[in-house]
Amino acid sequence: MSNYTYRPGLGIAYSKERDLKLFEKMARRGYKPIHLNAFGFYKFEQCDPEEVVYAVDYTNADPDTDDFEDYREIFEASGWKFVYGKRCGKYSCNFFKAVPDTTPV
């Protein structure tokens, strides 16, 4: 059995709530998102099942700079753990997870 599975998304820009609900459903099944390809398919890696909520945020901070670390620390100080980020042009799309009822940032 593979440690990975793929699921189609409608596009985080078009159906953010639906795609984030997909992440939450997959987390309950024991999979975490690790990649989004150019065709809109999410790659999930097997992990321990967990009950979490997901959020997405966009920034123009370059992931290889201290600015990005400062950006991540703001979320982590509020209870949101960085999961995955994808560079799209001059912006990056970043996914975070937290326990249910965590205050959104």
Side-chain angles (χ1 to χ4, degrees), residues 6 9 11 35-43 84 86-88:
Y6 295 85
H35 184 69
L36 169 62
N37 72 20
F39 301 106
F41 281 83
Y42 293 106
K43 182 177 184 179
Y84 167 72
K86 176 153 180 87
R87 193 81 175 152
C88 300

Side-chain angles (χ1 to χ4, degrees), residues 26-31 46-52:
M26 294 300 289
R28 287 190 297 274
R29 291 181 177 177
Y31 288 91
Q46 200 168 25
C47 65
D48 291 332
E50 58 184 347
E51 189 69 36
V52 293

Side-chain angles (χ1 to χ4, degrees), residues 31-77:
Y31 288 91
K32 63 182 177 181
I34 60 167
H35 184 69
L36 169 62
N37 72 20
F39 301 106
F41 281 83
Y42 293 106
K43 182 177 184 179
F44 292 88
E45 181 178 46
Q46 200 168 25
C47 65
D48 291 332
E50 58 184 347
E51 189 69 36
V52 293
V53 293
Y54 281 86
V56 63
D57 190 65
Y58 305 91
T59 182
N60 60 356
D62 187 332
D64 297 325
T65 66
D66 290 338
D67 289 344
F68 191 78
E69 289 303 315
D70 293 342
Y71 165 80
R72 282 178 56 176
E73 286 175 7
I74 291 169
F75 280 86
E76 291 175 359

